[in-house]
């Protein structure tokens, strides 16, 4: 049973930065694909970024087009933690951000939330204009 706890959300002005953290426990974190999703009020949960593991123990990263070049996902397997560094934030980024784990090995990380087995409780991010 994987447990995920997010932190680092808050209020930031447009153009600012935030770093979200997700601490994992209780499972094989190092081999799971870890993803970040976000959900704005009245909207569906959407994919933001993911980092996968492969047989060579190298992490690969994937991003939604809307955040590519501004957000960076990184994992520290020694600390069982995945991060989402967000820069040049826009008001449209206002949402609750969720960390998720997919324990199924796939050739390409899934972008649909239904593929992820475990979820954190979410951390809110508000970007003011």
């Amino acid at each position: 049973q994987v447990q995920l706890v997010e932190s680092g959300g808050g209020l930031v002005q447009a153009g600012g930065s935030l770093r979200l953290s997700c601490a994992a426990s209780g499972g094989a974190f190092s081999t799971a694909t870890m993803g970040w999703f976000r959900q704005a009020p009245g909207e569906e949960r959407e994919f933001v970024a993911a980092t996968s593991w492969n047989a060579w123990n190298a992490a690969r990263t994937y991003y939604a087009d809307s955040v590519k070049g501004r957000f960076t996902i990184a994992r520290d397997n020694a600390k069982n933690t995945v991060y989402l560094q967000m820069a040049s934030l826009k008001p449209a980024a206002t949402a609750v951000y969720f960390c998720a784990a997919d324990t199924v090995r796939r050739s390409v990380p899934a972008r649909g939330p239904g593929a992820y087995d475990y979820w954190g409780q979410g951390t809110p991010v508000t970007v003011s204009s």
Side-chain angles (χ1 to χ4, degrees):
Q1 185 84 7
V2 176
Q3 295 179 326
L4 305 172
V5 179
E6 303 98 332
S7 61
L11 175 64
V12 63
Q13 288 188 332
S17 300
L18 275 178
R19 188 177 81 156
L20 306 182
S21 299
C22 173
S25 62
F29 170 83
S30 63
T31 59
T33 291
M34 300 301 298
W36 284 97
F37 290 77
R38 65 188 180 188
Q39 187 166 19
E43 302 291 332
E44 294 186 350
R45 194 166 296 188
E46 67 171 355
F47 172 80
V48 175
T51 174
S52 64
W53 172 92
N54 62 30
W56 297 272
N57 203 24
R60 298 186 64 182
T61 57
Y62 306 85
Y63 297 94
D65 288 343
S66 60
V67 307
K68 201 173 294 183
R70 298 185 297 113
F71 289 15
T72 303
I73 187 171
R75 67 193 300 161
D76 185 338
N77 284 347
K79 296 182 178 180
N80 281 1
T81 301
V82 62
Y83 304 97
L84 184 68
Q85 179 69 49
M86 305 185 293
S88 301
L89 282 163
K90 305 175 182 179
T94 295
V96 177
Y97 283 71
F98 297 90
C99 173
D102 178 5
T103 57
V104 176
R105 295 189 185 185
R106 308 178 193 275
S107 56
V108 177
R111 296 186 177 222
Y116 288 74
D117 310 292
Y118 301 98
W119 292 85
Q121 81 289 350
T123 186
V125 171
T126 302
V127 184
S128 62
S129 57

